[in-house]
Structures are given as C-alpha cells and as structure tokens.
Amino acid sequence: RRLLRRAAAGAPPLRPDPPAGEAPGAEAGSGSKPARRERAFPVDGSHTYGDGFGDRANHQGADVLAACGTPLRAITGGTVRKVATEGAAGRYVVLRDGDSGEEYVYMHLSDVAVSSGERVRAGERIGAVGQTGNATTCHLHFEVWSAPGWYAGGSAHDPVPDLRAAAG
C-alpha cells in the first residue's frame, strides 16, 4: 500500500540542490575515520514503512513513517557533510561514513540537532522526524549513496538492507 504520493505525476525528484561552495564528496573536519563500524537504526521508536526505493519516479530512498518529533539517530559514525532546507526535501542532513565513503541522507526533518562538519557516533541524535518540504505525512525519507557520495558521482541504492542490518 502506498502511503505517500506526489501530488503531480511529473513532480520533481526529492533531491535538493547540490552542496554549494564545497568540493563534491569532500569530507569536512579532520578526515579521521571512525574507530569501528557500529550501526544504529535511524528512527528511535515505533515506525512502519511507506514507499520504498523506486516505488515511483525519482524515489531514491525508503520512507519510514513515525510520529513527528520522533528522534532520529546516526545510522553509523561519520561526518555531517551538509545541513540545509531546500525544496521538496525540506529540512535534511547528509551524513558521510568515513570508512566506506557512503552517504546517508535524512529528509523532511522537523528539527536538526547537528551542524555541518560535526563528527557523530552511531546512535547519536541528529534530528527529528518531520513533515517539511513535499511530505504528505510525518516520516523520514532515507537515502543511501555509494562512494564517492551524494551529488559526487555515487549512485543511490535501496536502503532497506542497511535499515534491516541496523535494526539487528
């Protein structure tokens, strides 16, 4: 069952504009890698799944439905590459895994608890579920991009295996 639908068939993708003023894929901060690859499920509490990867045109992630304000956690340790509010994505965070170079994109947040360049550990609170941008209900739109990352030559892949692995 599709719980989230774009209003218009030709609606633009959820992806916001590429990062401005930085080299694509560049990691901010010291460049040191996390000590180990711990995982944490990104939604802290009760949730269900909505639209999945490729369920509709330009849907490059999976939707995890939860109450607005539900804490969101870093799926892995890494560096916050970007925090912004833009278009259909609303308020979002891009987290770069220093070990793999993958990037995790959290969209539609109601609030953000991190800043660009900040290092985070797996399980650390990075924000909260919201309904910002082009969202019809409270949820996390979660994307995973291969190295070199989001808007840097990487490609989106189905995040459900990552979500299941993090759930334990």
Side-chain angles (χ1 to χ4, degrees), residues 5 7 13 16 25 29 45 52 54 82-83 100 105 150-151 163:
R5 289 283 172 211
K82 184 171 183 179
V83 174
S100 70
V105 187
W150 184 68
Y151 281 111
L163 293 169

Side-chain angles (χ1 to χ4, degrees), residues 27 30-37 77-79 97-101 119-120:
E27 183 174 357
S30 68
S32 63
K33 294 181 179 181
R36 33 179 205 201
R37 290 190 40 97
T79 301
D97 181 323
D99 287 339
S100 70
R119 303 262 313 147
V120 297

Side-chain angles (χ1 to χ4, degrees), residues 2 39-42 47-55 59-65 75 102 104-105 140-145 156-168:
R2 304 286 176 243
R39 294 282 182 164
F41 192 76
H47 63 277
T48 59
Y49 290 93
D51 288 352
F53 185 79
D55 279 355
H59 198 256
Q60 296 178 302
D63 295 335
V64 183
L65 287 72
I75 193 168
E102 285 187 313
Y104 303 92
V105 187
L140 166 66
H141 175 84
F142 186 74
E143 296 184 1
V144 179
W145 287 75
H157 61 87
D158 187 352
V160 171
D162 292 275
L163 293 169
R164 288 193 175 136

